[in-house]
Amino acid sequence: MQAIKNSSLDINTKVKRGEIVFKVLMHILMIIIALILVFPYFYMVMKSLMTQEEVISSTFKLFPSVPQFSNYTQILQDSGYLAAFGHTMLVIVFNLIAVPLSATFVAFGFARCKFIGKNIIFAFMLSTLMLPSVVTQVPLYVLYSKIGWLNTLYPLTIPNITGGGAIYIFLARSFLQSIPKDIDDAAKIDGAGSLRRYFFIGLPLCKPILIYIMINVFTSNWGDYYGPLVWRLDDSFPATLAYKVFYLLQNGATGNDMVHIRMAAGVIMSLVPAVLFFIFQKQLIEGVAMDGLKG
Amino acid sequence: MYSTVSSEAEDKKVTESAAKKPSPRSGKIKQIWKENREGWMFVAPLVIGLAIFTLYPMVQSLIWSFFNYTGAIYYYPVGLGNFRYMFATDPVFWKVLGNTVFYAFVSVPIVLVSSYLLATLVNLPYKSVGAFRVIYYLPCVIPGVVSGLLWKDMFAANGVFNQFLGLFGLHSQFFESESSWTAISSIFLMNMWSIGGGMILWLSAFKAIPVQLYEAAKIDGAGKIQRFLNVTIPMSFPMIFFNVVTMLIGTLQYNGTLTYAYNGQGYRNSLYMFAVLIYNEAFVNSKYGYASALSWFLLIFIGILTAVLFFARSKIYRED
């Protein structure tokens, strides 16, 4: 009896020890991957604190000999960067209001109203997800040039009052459909018109999806360099921050716009979405999952 | 004021009575208007937007693809001339198409497999995995232009990667290479930084699979690999399929090379991608007609690819 008990105890401790070893190994693996993935940020921060000589020298250096925090103050005082930041914020503030409002507005119609053409419009809207955007680019450029929209921020903002993209409308519609119609029907009986029902019932209910849409609108507009690149005509274009960084990257600029300064701009540019991500990580990750599950 | 209130019950009654009594035509139109007014009001922005910003430009670019339009007042139809030039004369077209197809068809499987492995790692039943998930997803929120800036520098001659390779007496030009193999493979390496996005998708796929299925398979004596092949893959197939399709469509339109490749094209066009070619023809060379033809080629290419994938899906996977 005693012998059997002992051996079974042995097996138990062996299994446990195996589990612990496995757990430790997996944690070491996860930490190594995390270090690899975090390294580029670290590299960027280090570069942003170097002097110009250190950045362009052919010998490799990971740490700056003396951290140059003045690189950051240079950006904050540079009127070019400040103006670019202003343009980016104009675009973002407009879209932060326009996209969630128009997307949920349209989605409310799809989720709560019956009308002729609903299925066709919905199917066509979804098919635009598969449509390469380059197909519409050239005619839109010509159209914008005719109505004087080139070299302005209109192409980056005005089209967004029409729903801001199929994916947002689709997500908001699915979300609204998952909510019982009871409150809506009650309001209907009380005599609330559809517009009132949208503003006072539909919109507040959409709050979780609104947050997801807004963060995405923020990050996509914050990092968008291609839109400004297409809709610009000449250098008098009101450059956004992402476009300015892109432009300097492509044109190998000098002086205030050398690598170390650009790296500092890059740090500032990635800091903002990173902070947003840390605050709203739950909504974002759930939203990405929703995005992916639509198939 | 004209009341916008009309409950569904009321609507139904009205429709029924309208169906019974043969009403004059104008009454019928009024009826249709009354029943659909609300829905139409809500989707009006979308319909207007789709018409102006999608439908009109699509048709217009299809028309221009048969013209030698350059933005000048006068332009002439050239029949299939743009397409003939594309396939027979354009010195970079096949190179660019090859680059793009190679990039798309290799990067999608790489991302799928590596993000699957990462997802299984952070799907282990430990408390700490939540924090690791956040760290792994973080690079996905970094703006593309910043990661272009950063990776161009890390891949440079005096950058960290060559420093590392130098330990083994090696050296690579990465993005500055004249060979598409080396240059595009460097993009794969760069994309490893943002596999957190794929990880999240896999994690949500795992979440949707009932645990009982795994337990049943375990009792039946299925090993880890068998469980992956016979439970995980079939159960997450619809979602993975959808993501493969959208990822392929996305990568075929990839223009991120603009931020880090020399001239947006790489040395000797080693990083020249299709979307960048269209951009150059349209906005650098002002060849709107030819750019339209190129973009319609891409549209049809993507359309055929999607159709083939959906056909293959119907052969492999049958929804019960």
Side-chain angles (χ1 to χ4, degrees), chain A residues 27 30 37 57 60 116 250, chain B residues 36 128 136 158 163 193 258:
Chain A
H27 272 87
M30 284 194 282
L37 291 182
S57 86
F60 175 76
I116 297 169
Q250 267 305 323
Chain B
N36 295 289
S128 56
Y136 295 168
N158 63 350
Q163 198 62 28
W193 196 39
L258 277 170

Side-chain angles (χ1 to χ4, degrees), chain A residues 210-231:
Chain A
L210 283 179
I211 293 174
Y212 176 70
I213 293 176
M214 287 171 94
I215 301 164
N216 267 293
V217 165
F218 189 98
T219 46
S220 61
N221 282 292
W222 180 257
D224 178 29
Y225 65 90
Y226 189 72
L229 179 65
V230 170
W231 312 127

Side-chain angles (χ1 to χ4, degrees), chain A residues 27 30 37 41 43 47 57 60 105 115-116 130 132-133 139 141 162 188 229 249-250 270 277 281 294, chain B residues 8 36 40 42 45 57 128 134 136-137 139 142 153-154 158 163 193 242 249 253 258-259 279 283 288 299:
Chain A
H27 272 87
M30 284 194 282
L37 291 182
Y41 296 105
Y43 187 79
K47 281 259 162 175
S57 86
F60 175 76
F105 185 79
F115 54 92
I116 297 169
M130 305 270 174
S133 55
Y141 181 85
T162 66
K188 223 182 216 176
L229 179 65
L249 191 57
Q250 267 305 323
S270 37
F277 170 67
Q281 45 168 298
K294 65 201 166 232
Chain B
E8 270 170 42
N36 295 289
W40 284 344
F42 279 110
S128 56
V134 171
Y136 295 168
Y137 186 72
I142 298 305
D153 198 76
M154 293 209 296
N158 63 350
Q163 198 62 28
W193 196 39
F242 179 82
I249 293 173
Q253 302 175 59
L258 277 170
T259 59
Y279 174 84
F283 303 116
Y288 297 145
L299 176 71

